[in-house]
Amino acid sequence: MSDTNYMKFLGTAGSRWVVARQLRASGGIYLQLNGTRIFLDPGPGALVRCAQSDPPIDPAKLQAVILTHSHIDHCNDVNIMIDAMTGGGYNRGGTLFAPVSCLEGEHAVVLRYLRSFLNSIVTLEPDRRYMIERVAFHTSKPHDHGVDTFGITFDLDPLKLSFLVDTRYFEELPSFYRGADILVVYVTFFEQPPHPGIMHLGLDDVRAIAREVRPRQLILTHFGLSMLEADPSRVAQSLTDELGLSVIAADDGLVVPLE
Ligand SMILES: [Zn+2]
């Protein structure tokens, strides 16, 4: 698939229990878009999953790494991915995009000595447009997730590919993703989250989002235990029937062509 646009899920784990026991992998998402190679949210095991991928994904060929927020299941491998992308600093290049809290303050996650290995570090702001070579993307308005968290939409003209990452549900949320053709939703809970302090989505939230956004394809990922117990592919099938749109559940290693 060297010349085609696609994304590959190197992980679909979404709660600390699922990540800690690696019931699903937690490596994040690799994207190849118009010849540009991008890694989104390199969680625990991202580097290993790249090496084990068939064919292997070579981090040295990445042009960019994007972090949506500073939680460990989204950024654990960011440092090793920067090191691998830049040949340990012998092959400087590439760009890191991340919210300011990933870079400064008590939640900073990027090691200082690695930063000079990069071509540039771009601080992500809410509701802004960015370019990675010929690939345009924009951030959402802020999610409600306790730390700076932004969803990402790639504007592949004519295809809009959105990642609605971790957040608590709120009324405005679906409007951030209006126009998405493919919408990847990070759904951790089968039932609604057991108490309001938990800032993740449940399946009812996904229903509300899907009804408003009506993407051509909805892809579920980032599963907690209750979603795994419910069997994500069965959940996706019943949502397909209920909502009248194509819903699939991501598996580790799932490749989605983006033509
Ligand atoms: Zn999170």
Side-chain angles (χ1 to χ4, degrees):
M1 305 197 60
S2 57
D3 295 326
T4 54
N5 286 355
Y6 71 95
M7 64 175 161
K8 182 166 188 172
F9 289 80
L10 299 181
T12 54
S15 73
R16 65 200 65 185
W17 320 112
V18 175
V19 173
R21 292 153 68 189
Q22 289 289 288
L23 300 176
R24 290 288 184 105
S26 50
I29 294 172
Y30 172 74
L31 299 117
Q32 195 166 294
L33 308 173
N34 303 338
T36 301
R37 297 171 168 88
I38 301 162
F39 210 99
L40 179 68
D41 281 352
L47 183 70
V48 173
R49 298 288 166 179
C50 283
Q52 291 176 346
S53 189
D54 181 20
I57 292 164
D58 182 358
K61 292 184 174 159
L62 290 171
Q63 275 85 33
V65 174
I66 301 174
L67 300 182
T68 62
H69 64 292
S70 61
H71 286 158
I72 195 161
D73 52 330
H74 293 254
C75 68
N76 184 76
D77 274 20
V78 65
N79 289 301
I80 192 61
M81 291 302 278
I82 292 170
D83 194 73
M85 177 166 70
T86 61
Y90 284 99
N91 197 1
R92 283 164 199 259
T95 303
L96 172 68
F97 295 86
V100 67
S101 57
C102 292
L103 302 167
E104 308 295 337
E106 61 178 324
H107 296 299
V109 293
V110 182
L111 291 171
R112 292 270 163 196
Y113 83 93
L114 293 170
R115 298 184 185 198
S116 63
F117 295 1
L118 293 157
N119 235 350
S120 55
I121 298 176
V122 177
T123 303
L124 290 179
E125 313 265 354
D127 208 12
R128 287 272 295 272
R129 305 189 72 79
Y130 302 89
M131 292 295 292
I132 306 168
E133 302 197 341
R134 292 180 305 285
V135 177
F137 74 94
H138 68 265
T139 49
S140 71
K141 289 179 183 170
H143 281 193
D144 184 5
H145 195 51
V147 293
D148 291 338
T149 305
F150 310 122
I152 300 289
T153 295
F154 291 95
D155 301 302
L156 300 171
D157 195 21
L159 182 84
K160 280 196 193 306
L161 166 65
S162 292
F163 294 87
L164 196 168
V165 300
D166 295 359
T167 185
R168 188 180 1 222
Y169 186 80
F170 52 98
E171 207 181 313
E172 245 197 308
L173 180 67
S175 71
F176 301 169
Y177 296 92
R178 221 169 263 150
D181 298 293
I182 300 178
L183 178 63
V184 182
V185 178
Y186 287 47
V187 53
T188 307
F189 292 95
F190 180 63
E191 307 284 353
Q192 285 311 93
H195 66 82
I198 295 178
M199 291 180 281
H200 284 280
L201 298 175
L203 209 56
D204 274 349
D205 302 324
V206 176
R207 285 186 177 90
I209 292 161
R211 286 199 178 98
E212 190 166 333
V213 179
R214 304 285 313 167
R216 186 147 55 79
Q217 179 154 69
L218 182 68
I219 302 177
L220 311 177
T221 189
H222 214 58
F223 305 125
L225 270 181
S226 61
M227 277 298 294
L228 292 186
E229 281 163 10
D231 185 351
S233 57
R234 288 180 59 175
V235 171
Q237 185 56 56
S238 70
L239 278 185
T240 297
D241 299 340
E242 180 187 331
L243 299 168
L245 49 87
S246 167
V247 185
I248 61 170
D251 273 324
D252 294 338
L254 174 70
V255 172
V256 179
L258 300 168
E259 295 306 332

